[in-house]
């Protein structure tokens, strides 16, 4: 595999820090961008001083950003666009900012990458683009602007749609990602990091609704593998991909069962507090992964192994306080 120079936006975030570390480990160079909106300097600790890494604290909304990087790095060839406002409730409170960051900045970056003749453009789409879809498993073609539930979903949907229509680059629609460095302190963070945090603190776990709701949880290392395939940087070099691809495991687990496993792994009190169901929460969701499977992707990390790794990481982190 030839050495590439890649732009990773959102490199100080949960997924972006794993992707950056993997690209550097594979011998590529990374220009990283983040404005620390929800990311952290400490997420970059493993690669901040790597000779192949160059960091820029800047917003992706800055015009001409990609052109500037390309001037300084003519070999820059692949863009991984992860930077985003990631909270659905925040997007409801701040729809304009969400559209500016999650759609307009992406539209500009995608157009620039295309004009500059870059080889790959990979956008972080989301299962939220399916809105209140209830057909299962969820297939890529089910997404529809009319069923969107939030500005987050609309912005991601519009971005994915634009990329697909252009024939340049791809959008990976991720289901629920989990793993080390997912921020448990954020009030909006994923259910797994919250359960792990509660479990390690010896607090009861809180479930909204009856806990029978199911989700497709995918471990972050598998997400990184999907990214490498999408950009044509895996060992087979099948990409770069164009179009839209679901990225999940293709199976689901209930929130109640998840709470039980986390309780066992953290030796937490198994009591669960049930609270009223939250408005807008969908009951069941899991991905149809036929498309990405056809490109050589398979989620490899068993769910309980991924959870155990996440719990170990969180326990080490809490031991640092
Ligand atoms: N975690 C999941 O389960 C999940 C599921 C589907 C999609 N996604 C998408 O994957 C991507 C990464 O998500 P994550 O879970 O790592 O979240 P994260 O919050 O840890 O990472 C997002 C990063 O983007 C940065 N950022 C935000 N606005 C920016 C701006 N204007 N300019 C520069 N940087 C900015 C943040 O500071 C943060 O470091 C996001 O696009 C998210 O929507 C995540």
């Amino acid at each position: 595999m030839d050495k590439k120079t890649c732009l990773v936006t959102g490199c100080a975030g949960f997924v972006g820090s794993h992707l950056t570390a993997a690209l550097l480990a594979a011998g590529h160079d990374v220009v990283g961008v983040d404005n620390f909106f929800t990311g952290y300097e400490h997420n970059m600790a493993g690669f901040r001083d790597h000779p192949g890494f160059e960091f820029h604290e800047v917003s992706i909304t800055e015009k001409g950003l990609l052109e500037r990087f390309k001037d300084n790095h003519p070999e820059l060839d692949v863009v991984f666009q992860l930077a985003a406002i990631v909270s659905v409730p925040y997007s409801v409170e701040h729809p304009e900012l969400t559209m500016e960051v999650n759609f307009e900045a992406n539209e500009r970056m995608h157009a620039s990458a295309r004009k500059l003749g870059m080889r790959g453009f990979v956008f972080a789409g989301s299962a939220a683009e399916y809105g209140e879809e209830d057909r299962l498993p969820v297939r890529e073609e089910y997404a529809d602007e009319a069923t969107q539930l939030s500005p987050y979903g609309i912005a991601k949907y519009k971005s994915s749609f634009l990329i697909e229509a252009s024939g340049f680059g791809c959008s990976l629609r991720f289901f629920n990602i989990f793993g080390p460095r997912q921020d448990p302190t954020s009030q909006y963070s994923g259910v797994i990091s919250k359960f792990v945090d509660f479990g390690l603190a010896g607090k009861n776990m809180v479930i909204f609704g009856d806990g029978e709701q199911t989700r497709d949880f995918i471990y972050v290392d598998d997400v990184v593998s999907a990214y490498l395939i999408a950009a044509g940087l895996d060992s087979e070099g099948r990409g770069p991909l164009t179009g839209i691809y679901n990225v999940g495991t293709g199976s689901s687990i209930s929130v109640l069962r998840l709470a039980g496993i986390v309780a066992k792994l953290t030796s937490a009190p198994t009591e669960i507090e049930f609270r009223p169901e939250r408005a807008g929460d969908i009951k069941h969701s899991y991905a149809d992964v036929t498309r990405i499977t056809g490109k050589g992707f398979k989620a490899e990390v068993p769910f309980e192994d991924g959870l155990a790794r996440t719990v170990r990481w969180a326990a080490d982190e809490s031991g640092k306080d």
Side-chain angles (χ1 to χ4, degrees), residues 13 160 165 170 186 230 240 303 316:
S160 296
C170 70
S186 153
F303 182 63
D316 285 352

Side-chain angles (χ1 to χ4, degrees), residues 153-321:
I154 294 170
K156 291 280 184 185
Y157 171 83
K158 281 168 72 84
S159 293
S160 296
F161 185 77
L162 152 102
I163 290 167
E164 184 180 48
S166 76
F168 169 66
C170 70
S171 168
L172 300 182
R173 277 193 187 139
F174 298 115
F175 280 62
N176 299 67
I177 310 170
F178 72 102
R181 298 205 282 276
Q182 190 162 32
D183 182 7
T185 58
S186 153
Q187 87 181 99
Y188 307 124
S189 88
V191 62
I192 291 189
S193 59
K194 283 234 165 305
F195 280 179
V196 170
D197 199 39
F198 280 23
L200 290 172
K203 290 192 271 184
N204 289 345
M205 293 181 197
V206 176
I207 289 182
F208 295 92
D210 60 7
E212 294 303 333
Q213 61 271 46
T214 58
R215 295 290 181 270
D216 185 338
F217 294 104
I218 181 162
Y219 189 65
V220 67
D221 286 5
D222 284 326
V223 164
V224 168
S225 304
Y227 264 120
L228 298 183
I229 291 174
L233 299 180
D234 64 317
S235 53
E236 306 288 321
R238 283 165 285 226
L241 303 184
T242 53
I244 300 175
Y245 297 84
N246 282 342
V247 178
T249 62
S251 58
S252 62
I253 179 167
S254 77
V255 169
L256 200 53
R257 176 139 179 261
L258 167 67
I261 302 172
V262 174
K264 225 189 273 165
L265 286 169
T266 56
S267 316
T270 43
E271 272 184 49
I272 291 171
E273 284 174 32
F274 290 93
R275 303 247 175 97
E277 203 173 304
R278 287 180 301 196
D281 266 1
I282 51 167
K283 192 77 187 165
H284 300 292
S285 164
Y286 70 97
D288 182 306
V289 289
T290 311
R291 262 193 212 174
I292 190 97
T293 304
K295 301 295 178 186
F297 173 76
K298 187 171 178 293
E300 304 276 5
V301 181
F303 182 63
E304 298 202 9
D305 289 4
L307 265 186
R309 289 187 216 173
T310 308
V311 169
R312 260 198 311 275
W313 169 81
D316 285 352
E317 285 299 298
S318 62
K320 285 181 190 165
D321 294 342

Side-chain angles (χ1 to χ4, degrees), residues 5-54:
T5 301
C6 309
L7 175 68
V8 178
T9 72
C11 65
F14 161 47
V15 181
S17 62
H18 284 272
L19 174 61
T20 301
L23 290 167
L24 292 168
H28 303 297
D29 285 345
V30 175
V31 176
V33 163
D34 209 293
N35 68 351
F36 300 115
F37 191 71
T38 50
Y40 299 98
E41 180 76 41
H42 63 74
N43 281 343
M44 301 193 288
F47 53 80
R48 190 68 174 88
D49 299 326
H50 191 291
F53 181 66
E54 179 185 292

